[in-house]
Amino acid sequence: MRSRRELVIGVTVVLIVISIVISVVIAVLSSGPVPAGGTAMRSWPASPTASASPSVTAPPPVVIASPDLLGAARLSPTNVNGPVNILLAGVDRRPDQTDDSVRTDSIILLHIPQSHDGAVLVSIPRDTRVKIPAYPKSGFKGRTAKINSAFQSGYQAAGTETEKRARGMELLALTIKQTWGIAFDGAAIIDFTGFETVLGQLGGVTMCVEAQAEAIHLALDKDGKVVEVWYDDSAKKIRGIPPGGRKLIYQPGCYHMDPAVALEYARLRKGSCCPAGDYDRQRHQHQMIKAILDEISSTKMLKDPTRLVQVLQSAGESFTLDLGSIRAEDYLAMFTNLASGNVTSVRTNAGRIFTLRGSSDEALTPQTLEMLAALKNDTIGAWLAQHPSFVVPHP
């Protein structure tokens, strides 16, 4: 049986990883339910009141699904003395889904250099055209397609949910390795349910709004409470605002946002707030990653193992983590340097869209391929210094 110290270390490491992973599924929240009935915004720096935690009760055991998610795409270190790559994926599976049409609509490469003094987050556009290799485990024959279908091609076929997710992640990792030569030390998956629940446990996050933005999946009722609405894409109009209600408008400034409101802002990619479309949404995703990392790594939370366990357990089976053979203590020592100010967000194609003619697939530019090669070779810090247009500006 693990000691209390070992448990707390393990939980802390997992939660820091969760703080990154849970943000990658914001893009898939276009049709799922959103928590309603909460206050929309509180002016920053207000924060939720922390609930009291028992001072003598040890946290309960934590069980996390931990299959091999990487297979042949895994690096095999036993410590973190060198650079570390972790593949993070958000899947669009809903609780009531019965078919195999499960895709990774958000894919992030987390790179920590050998110096361990920061981290780089690179979002791979979900429409990037790649050659997905054949995968006998699921009977997939291989084809050229958008990268977000790689997970589905491994996920399909019989098996438990854990087995299907492990196959999907392995094929995604193999696709990345074959295409750009990048292998991974660890990986994590979270789905819609896990993301929504964990963010609710955190009580929201502080986000900074750069330009006025209009919510399209949420509105306010006559009492100023959040309600779910829907966007009629054909009419370009919000539907379902209750009588006496109004649109939810984000004004420039920094606010502590409740979960539903933060999720809505981070998923926006249309309107005057988001001229670059999906790249603006990626930027908002990375902003939320940093905000959650700040919340998770706050002194109060790290000293409250009971609350850490509660947040972790809220994800339940929706979260799958594979840290390989590296000890949790080694990951913890490495992650302690990763305050949000040390996390650099990178945009492929310098934030511009390059759609392949005659399709909706996207191509990566030669400079983006150089950037990914620099990530592989752990020289991305120097590369970004020479190519600042690839760095997402701080809000």
Side-chain angles (χ1 to χ4, degrees):
M1 181 178 294
R2 292 180 296 173
S3 68
R4 176 185 173 89
R5 175 179 176 276
E6 289 172 332
L7 176 62
V8 173
I9 289 175
V11 170
T12 303
V13 170
V14 169
L15 283 171
I16 293 174
V17 175
I18 285 179
S19 71
I20 298 171
V21 176
I22 61 178
S23 297
V24 306
V25 295
I26 297 168
V28 308
L29 301 182
S30 59
S31 60
V34 181
T39 303
M41 278 190 190
R42 292 189 296 272
S43 179
W44 182 85
S47 60
T49 303
S51 58
S53 301
S55 58
V56 295
T57 303
V62 177
V63 178
I64 308 166
S66 186
D68 179 2
L69 299 179
L70 295 171
R74 180 188 300 282
L75 297 168
S76 300
T78 57
N79 57 56
V80 292
N81 292 340
V84 173
N85 294 327
I86 299 176
L87 177 59
L88 312 175
V91 300
D92 59 1
R93 187 178 189 275
R94 300 292 193 258
D96 57 351
Q97 188 166 338
T98 58
D99 60 24
D100 285 345
S101 59
V102 177
R103 301 189 178 199
T104 46
D105 278 356
S106 295
I107 304 166
I108 290 183
L109 314 184
L110 167 62
H111 175 77
I112 300 169
Q114 184 172 356
S115 58
H116 297 174
D117 56 355
V120 174
L121 296 171
V122 179
S123 287
I124 302 297
R126 63 183 186 175
D127 292 338
T128 302
R129 181 182 289 180
V130 295
K131 184 177 181 180
I132 305 172
Y135 190 67
K137 291 181 182 180
S138 65
F140 178 66
K141 303 300 183 182
R143 67 188 176 98
T144 297
K146 296 178 181 180
I147 194 170
N148 73 335
S149 67
F151 185 94
Q152 179 185 7
S153 300
Y155 180 94
Q156 63 190 9
T160 66
E161 181 64 21
T162 298
E163 291 168 344
K164 291 158 75 75
R165 290 188 182 205
R167 291 198 310 259
M169 195 65 159
E170 181 181 11
L171 183 53
L172 174 62
L174 288 170
T175 301
I176 293 172
K177 181 180 180 181
Q178 172 183 277
T179 307
W180 301 298
I182 299 170
F184 299 94
D185 302 274
I189 310 169
I190 196 166
D191 65 20
F192 174 87
T193 302
F195 177 83
E196 183 179 43
T197 304
V198 172
L199 189 56
Q201 283 284 330
L202 294 176
V205 291
T206 297
M207 298 281 284
C208 292
V209 178
E210 302 135 304
Q212 181 174 295
E214 180 180 294
I216 62 174
H217 303 100
L218 295 179
L220 302 177
D221 67 13
K222 60 184 179 60
D223 298 318
K225 300 296 184 180
V226 176
V227 294
E228 184 180 353
V229 295
W230 63 282
Y231 186 71
D232 185 342
D233 196 55
S234 60
K236 307 298 182 186
K237 186 176 181 180
I238 299 171
R239 306 284 191 185
I241 298 178
R246 63 189 187 277
K247 294 179 179 179
L248 171 59
I249 305 296
Y250 298 87
Q251 299 293 346
C254 294
Y255 308 89
H256 191 95
M257 300 183 186
D258 287 338
V261 178
L263 288 173
E264 173 69 2
Y265 177 71
R267 69 201 269 204
L268 292 177
R269 61 184 179 90
K270 296 181 179 180
S272 59
C273 68
C274 308
D278 195 52
Y279 282 102
D280 284 318
R281 181 172 62 178
Q282 288 181 14
R283 179 167 47 83
H284 294 156
Q285 289 177 7
H286 289 198
Q287 182 188 352
M288 180 170 277
I289 287 171
K290 295 177 182 181
I292 296 174
L293 183 58
D294 278 343
E295 181 71 22
I296 289 288
S297 59
S298 66
T299 301
K300 182 178 294 185
M301 179 170 283
L302 289 179
K303 290 184 177 180
D304 187 350
T306 300
R307 187 180 177 203
L308 288 175
V309 172
Q310 291 172 346
V311 175
L312 176 60
Q313 289 184 323
S314 70
E317 296 180 352
S318 298
F319 179 68
T320 309
L321 176 69
D322 175 8
L323 294 179
S325 57
I326 299 175
R327 297 186 313 157
E329 290 90 340
D330 292 338
Y331 269 108
L332 179 61
M334 178 182 64
F335 277 125
T336 53
N337 291 325
L338 299 187
S340 64
N342 296 332
V343 178
T344 301
S345 297
V346 178
R347 51 191 174 188
T348 57
N349 294 353
R352 294 180 293 169
I353 299 173
F354 290 89
T355 303
L356 293 167
R357 182 175 298 179
S359 75
S360 59
D361 296 0
E362 184 170 354
L364 299 184
T365 63
Q367 276 197 326
T368 295
L369 298 181
E370 289 180 9
M371 181 268 292
L372 292 172
L375 186 149
K376 172 189 173 184
N377 298 325
D378 196 27
T379 58
I380 191 168
W383 192 92
L384 291 173
Q386 297 176 2
H387 302 83
S389 63
F390 278 73
V391 177
V392 179
H394 290 291

